[in-house]
Amino acid sequence: MGDDASVAGFYDQLAADYHLIFADWDASMARQGEALDAMIRTRLGAGPASVLDCSCGIGTQAIGLGRCGHRVTGSDISPVAVGRAAREAALREVRLPAAVADMRQLPFADAAFDVVLCADNALPHLLTEEDVLAALAEMRRVLRSGGLLVISTRPYDEILASRPLSAPPQLARTPGGRAVTFQLWDWHDDGEHYDLEFFQLLPDADDWRVTVRRTTYWALTRRRLTGFVADAGFIEAEWAAPEVSGFFQPVLSARKR
């Protein structure tokens, strides 16, 4: 991951305020969980399934899937995010065992899960083909035979057509007032990688508190990511657009060969 410590640090710093990218975090948990649940049950049967969310962050998808009845384990490179995910799950009476782990070195047994989830543009933190394939190999290793891989990313095919320099602002209400989140993107000369500056304006008495966190992504097209998934030993790869899946990003699902 470009710099492992910087990715972990980005999410360590963001963990306390990450829910503010959602107008209503609990409603988003429910919507995302239900959309992912429908995909899992369509491809694997009625379930419930054992699910590893290997980029669980503060628990948005993991808690949502747990509320749908799945047996979910979370892992993430950020210790602070993992700690918050476990606390938030407990507050909602959702069981969520969680571990701090790099997705390229998962601390789980072979064939331990029915589903491995890597959602919300987490995989593109890996900036080289070698690292992406290493992560996919680990995801395949911990899946049972015929198990399901589920990955979501930003819609990079469309993004690369214009290479925008920013993302639209997101608003959330806090007890102190409105919070504003927005992003600035600085594209590398290769046209595929970009540095992201993540700004949050948080109400602070009669003023604003401004935070800026920085990280880097690789804009992986659907064709390239599908190729990596096939190279890693997955079959039956399918993409679902948000208007079809109900999930907020394009989703790639594939089966372990």
Side-chain angles (χ1 to χ4, degrees):
M1 290 188 187
D3 179 336
D4 298 354
S6 70
V7 175
F10 175 79
Y11 288 106
D12 282 347
Q13 295 168 23
L14 185 57
D17 300 319
Y18 199 0
H19 64 288
L20 296 176
I21 70 173
F22 305 103
D24 183 330
W25 186 35
D26 275 274
S28 293
M29 282 186 207
R31 282 195 303 272
Q32 294 184 42
E34 289 164 6
L36 293 168
D37 171 63
M39 283 185 259
I40 290 168
R41 294 181 191 273
T42 295
R43 297 210 66 177
L44 291 186
S50 59
V51 180
L52 171 64
D53 183 347
C54 71
S55 56
C56 70
I58 62 171
T60 304
Q61 295 85 27
I63 294 170
L65 283 170
R67 284 174 154 176
C68 291
H70 298 286
R71 303 180 301 278
V72 185
T73 299
S75 67
D76 197 277
I77 199 169
S78 163
V80 180
V82 167
R84 184 171 181 198
R87 292 192 301 274
E88 298 288 355
L91 286 171
R92 292 162 177 81
E93 299 183 337
V94 173
R95 185 175 183 275
L96 181 63
V100 178
D102 186 319
M103 65 178 73
R104 294 166 298 182
Q105 294 178 307
L106 294 171
F108 306 106
D110 295 357
F113 300 99
D114 301 316
V115 180
V116 173
L117 172 67
C118 184
D120 203 359
N121 203 52
L123 191 67
H125 275 297
L126 301 173
L127 304 180
T128 67
E129 178 176 345
E130 178 183 12
D131 280 337
V132 171
L133 289 172
L136 292 171
E138 277 292 272
M139 296 177 201
R140 185 181 185 278
R141 179 184 65 78
V142 301
L143 273 174
R144 66 164 173 82
S145 180
L148 186 67
L149 173 70
V150 180
I151 300 172
S152 82
T153 68
R154 291 188 172 118
Y156 281 124
D157 290 77
E158 292 78 5
I159 287 170
L160 286 169
S162 60
R163 293 187 177 82
L165 301 180
S166 64
Q170 298 156 300
L171 299 178
R173 293 198 175 276
T174 74
R178 290 177 299 174
V180 184
T181 299
F182 65 94
Q183 302 173 17
L184 299 181
W185 298 3
D186 184 16
W187 290 89
H188 294 197
D189 290 342
D190 65 9
E192 296 183 351
H193 295 79
Y194 62 99
D195 298 326
L196 179 145
E197 292 183 297
F198 190 99
F199 288 79
Q200 285 189 308
L201 282 64
L202 306 173
D204 186 7
D206 295 326
D207 206 345
W208 293 96
R209 175 168 59 90
V210 180
T211 63
V212 186
R213 290 98 172 188
R214 296 174 175 86
T215 191
T216 303
Y217 288 103
W218 184 10
L220 290 168
T221 63
R222 288 188 287 272
R223 180 177 179 180
R224 176 169 277 176
L225 183 51
T226 302
F228 287 155
V229 165
D231 290 344
F234 292 91
I235 59 173
E236 300 175 16
E238 298 178 2
W239 282 93
E243 57 270 24
V244 174
S245 70
F247 197 72
F248 74 104
Q249 291 176 333
V251 178
L252 172 63
S253 60
R255 303 287 290 269
K256 177 177 178 178
R257 186 186 302 146

